[in-house]
Amino acid sequence: MRWITCAAIVVLGLAALSCSRQSGTPAAGAQSVEQAVVAAADSAAAARLKVLEAGAAAIFEASCTDCHGGDRPSAKLPLESTVFVTAMVGMPCAQIDTLKLVEPGRPDRSYLIMKVAGDPRIKGRRMPKGDDPLTADQIKVLSDWVVALAAAPADSSAPAESGAPAAPAPRTGS
């Protein structure tokens, strides 16, 4: 995926440079190159977020929605693919008031990651309760999703291909 991103940046940069040569304004060309690079980076970050969000949705659907789904989700925390982003991202943690359920860019300060990883600071049991713990790879997908929430542009609000809503704009502050 990285080579595709690099290739896209190079192609966009060359196209912008070509346009600037035709217009005869190097300053405008340099600005166009910068804008093209920023647009390509934003597009790559938004695409990465959608892929990771689809992975998170699949993990939640397979491992969490038996308890955190339906009309009465456990702990009033629905994790179905259509609502998990709004239910968790930037929301305060009821068990540890200094944390958020998911703090964009900060898996180390996201109670979700602590809970599925079995961090000793959690209240209650490791999740998913009554089932096998998530694998290291599944926890990594969730952690990478949390990181990607902060890296994606604020306008990457199109629904993920999994049907999950895209993340809201990253929130600042704690």
Side-chain angles (χ1 to χ4, degrees), residues 77-134:
L77 180 62
L79 295 179
E80 292 103 345
S81 64
T82 57
V83 295
F84 76 90
V85 172
T86 55
M88 288 192 297
V89 176
M91 298 309 226
C93 173
Q95 288 78 22
I96 302 176
D97 61 4
T98 59
L99 298 176
K100 303 246 185 259
L101 291 175
V102 171
E103 184 171 331
R106 299 289 309 269
D108 61 315
R109 300 222 11 102
S110 296
Y111 195 68
L112 165 72
I113 303 303
M114 294 170 65
K115 198 73 168 166
V116 298
D119 188 290
R121 296 171 290 172
I122 64 171
K123 308 284 187 203
R125 295 189 201 168
R126 178 180 187 167
M127 293 290 145
K129 186 168 125 183
D131 204 352
D132 290 333
L134 297 183

Side-chain angles (χ1 to χ4, degrees), residues 141-163:
V141 167
L142 296 177
S143 294
D144 288 351
W145 168 65
V146 171
V147 170
L149 286 166
D155 64 349
S156 59
S157 58
E161 291 191 24
S162 69

Side-chain angles (χ1 to χ4, degrees), residues 13-35:
L14 291 174
L17 186 58
S18 173
C19 290
S20 72
R21 286 186 178 156
Q22 290 174 0
S23 70
T25 53
Q31 186 178 13
S32 295
V33 170
E34 182 179 321
Q35 290 171 340

